[in-house]
Amino acid sequence: MTAKTFIGRTLSAALFASLLSGTAAHAADNITVFDWSGYEDPAFHPAYTEKYGTEPDFAFFGDEEEAFQKLRSGFKADLAHPCSQSVAKWRDAGMLEPLDTAKLKAWKDILPGIAGMKGLMTSDDGTAWLLPFEWGNTVLTYRTDTVKPEEITSLKAFADPKFKDRVSIGDNVDDAYALASLAVGVKDWTTMTDDQFKAASDFLRDVPKNVRLYWTDNTEVSQAMASGEVDLAWAWNETVTTLQADGVPAAVKKDTAEGLSTWVCGYVRLKGGEGDVEKQYDYLNAISDPAISAYMVESWGYGHANAKGMAAVDPKILADKGYADVDKFLGNTLFQSPMPIELRQKMIAEFEKIKAGY
C-alpha cells in the first residue's frame, strides 16, 4: 500500500531558515532516502536532524513499481520505503542489503501483529530486511454533504453509474487490486485463483467509467475532494485526516459489506548505497523512535509500528483515529501481504491495460 504521501506539506520554519542559510547543505557522505513524497517531513526524524544538523537527501517515487524499475536501471540511494507487498520482490531481485538488527534500537519493539507477519520483516532463514514504519488502510472515503451512507454500503459503489465522473482511485496497482479483490469477495490475494483474478479485473474495468482522476498522492486526491470535483475516493487514512483538518465535510466508510484494505510499509537498506552506514542506521533509529508515534497518528492518521510509542499515545486520539482496538482495526480486511511475483506481474500488466481502456 502501501503506500502514503502529501506533496506540498509545508517545511518547518526552522528547516526553511536553515535551507536559506545554507546550514542544510549537502555533505559528501550524506545519505539519500528514496521515498514517497511527503515523508521528508522533519517531524518524522528529529533525532537525526538534531545529531547531524542537516537533513538527508531525498528522492521520490510515485508507486513501488516505478521505484523498482528506477532502482533496477541503476539509480543509487541508501534507504527506501516499500510496502509489505513489494519487499520480497525487491529482495529476490538482489536490491537489498540485510539489516543489522543489533544496530536497530526499536527492532524488538515492533507491534506483535506486524512482527508476526510471515515474510515481512525477515525471510524464512531469519535474515532481517525491513524495519516497519507505518501502517494503515486504503478505505472508501467520501464527502458527507454529497454522498449518503446508504449509497455506499458496498464497495461496488465505485462502479455504480450514479457516481459517474465523481470517483477517484489511486494510480497504484496494489490499492486498485485490493479494491477489486475485496469487491469480488477475496480477502487473501495470495491464494487468488485465475477465475477470481478475472472477476477482479472485470470489476476494475467497470470503475474507470466513473473515474474523474487517478490520484498519485494525497495532495491530489484531497484537493479534488475539497474542491467538489470528486465525491468518492479509494484513499489512505491520511486523506480524511487532511480533509477534516481543513474543515471539509468528509468521512471514511470502514463497514462496507466487503471491508477495507490494510497495509504496512517500512524502510530497507539498498544494495550499492554510497552514503555513510552509521547515518543510515541513525536515520532508521530516528524514524522508529517512540516519540514520533503521537505525531504519526494525530497528523497523518496512520499507526506507528513502535508498540511502546503507540501505547503512549493519548487514548482519545487513538479512539478518534480508529486505533483504540487494533484487532477491530484489522478486522474484515484484505492485508496487502507479499504475493507471488507472477501474480503481481499479472496485476501490473492488466492494470495498465485497464487504464488505457482495454
Side-chain angles (χ1 to χ4, degrees):
M1 120 209 77
T2 256
K4 301 29 178 185
T5 86
F6 55 115
I7 294 173
R9 177 174 285 272
T10 305
L11 292 173
S12 68
L15 177 60
F16 185 64
S18 72
L19 288 170
L20 289 179
S21 66
T23 59
H26 172 72
D29 62 350
N30 208 19
I31 62 170
T32 298
V33 183
F34 195 28
D35 217 326
W36 305 87
S37 184
Y39 282 89
E40 73 275 20
D41 187 342
F44 281 148
H45 51 264
Y48 181 93
T49 308
E50 182 179 354
K51 179 173 180 176
Y52 293 106
T54 186
E55 296 291 302
D57 291 331
F58 286 90
F60 303 108
F61 55 83
D63 65 34
E64 289 150 279
E65 184 60 21
E66 174 195 333
F68 178 82
Q69 296 300 337
K70 190 170 182 178
L71 290 168
R72 194 164 67 169
S73 68
F75 177 75
K76 296 294 185 183
D78 301 295
L79 304 172
H81 190 177
C83 297
S84 45
Q85 66 280 7
S86 295
V87 177
K89 179 179 177 178
W90 289 27
R91 183 192 68 221
D92 292 348
M95 293 180 174
L96 306 185
E97 288 283 357
L99 295 173
D100 182 349
T101 60
K103 296 180 179 179
L104 296 172
K105 296 177 181 179
W107 181 256
K108 294 182 179 179
D109 295 331
I110 301 301
L111 286 162
I114 294 175
M117 291 176 180
K118 182 176 175 57
L120 182 66
M121 294 171 65
T122 63
S123 48
D124 290 343
D125 63 1
T127 304
W129 302 98
L130 176 81
L131 176 65
F133 177 51
E134 89 279 37
W135 53 287
N137 300 129
T138 310
V139 61
L140 190 156
T141 306
Y142 67 104
R143 287 277 305 233
T144 57
D145 56 339
T146 56
V147 178
K148 299 176 182 177
E150 56 267 28
E151 295 178 298
I152 50 173
T153 57
S154 168
L155 294 180
K156 292 181 173 63
F158 283 98
D160 190 324
K162 75 172 65 174
F163 293 112
K164 182 175 174 56
D165 295 329
R166 297 167 61 193
V167 164
S168 182
I169 66 172
D171 189 3
N172 178 312
V173 65
D174 301 302
D175 283 335
Y177 266 94
L179 169 62
S181 298
L182 285 164
V184 300
V186 174
K187 287 290 200 301
D188 181 359
W189 62 14
T190 66
T191 62
M192 181 180 283
T193 66
D194 288 343
D195 286 344
Q196 289 172 328
F197 177 77
K198 183 180 183 303
S201 299
D202 288 345
F203 171 80
L204 211 51
R205 280 188 167 82
D206 286 335
V207 175
K209 300 170 185 176
N210 293 344
V211 168
R212 181 76 172 184
L213 64 89
Y214 288 97
W215 58 265
T216 57
D217 58 75
N218 176 65
T219 297
E220 188 173 19
V221 65
S222 296
Q223 289 178 346
M225 294 192 76
S227 69
E229 184 180 3
V230 166
D231 295 329
L232 188 66
W234 183 239
W236 302 321
N237 310 71
E238 180 188 346
T239 298
V240 73
T241 299
T242 300
L243 291 169
Q244 290 176 350
D246 290 339
V248 179
V252 294
K253 180 76 170 171
K254 293 188 175 183
D255 60 348
T256 62
E258 302 85 1
L260 65 165
S261 180
T262 300
W263 43 262
V264 177
C265 302
Y267 285 86
V268 295
R269 293 186 64 223
L270 295 171
K271 188 168 290 185
E274 299 172 351
D276 183 81
V277 173
E278 182 180 353
K279 284 188 174 183
Q280 293 179 35
Y281 279 99
D282 282 338
Y283 187 81
L284 293 174
N285 286 324
I287 59 94
S288 56
D289 190 320
I292 71 169
S293 298
Y295 176 73
M296 171 76 81
V297 175
E298 188 168 11
S299 297
W300 284 62
Y302 299 143
H304 193 212
N306 189 300
K308 291 181 178 178
M310 289 294 286
V313 177
D314 184 331
K316 184 179 184 306
I317 294 175
L318 288 175
D320 287 346
K321 300 300 181 182
Y323 292 94
D325 185 335
V326 173
D327 290 337
K328 185 176 180 180
F329 183 95
L330 297 173
N332 197 26
T333 188
L334 178 149
F335 175 60
Q336 292 188 22
S337 57
M339 68 175 73
I341 292 176
E342 297 80 8
L343 176 58
R344 183 169 171 78
Q345 293 304 119
K346 281 175 60 177
M347 288 180 176
I348 291 168
E350 201 68 14
F351 189 46
E352 289 305 312
K353 290 180 185 178
I354 291 168
K355 290 189 295 178
Y358 296 102

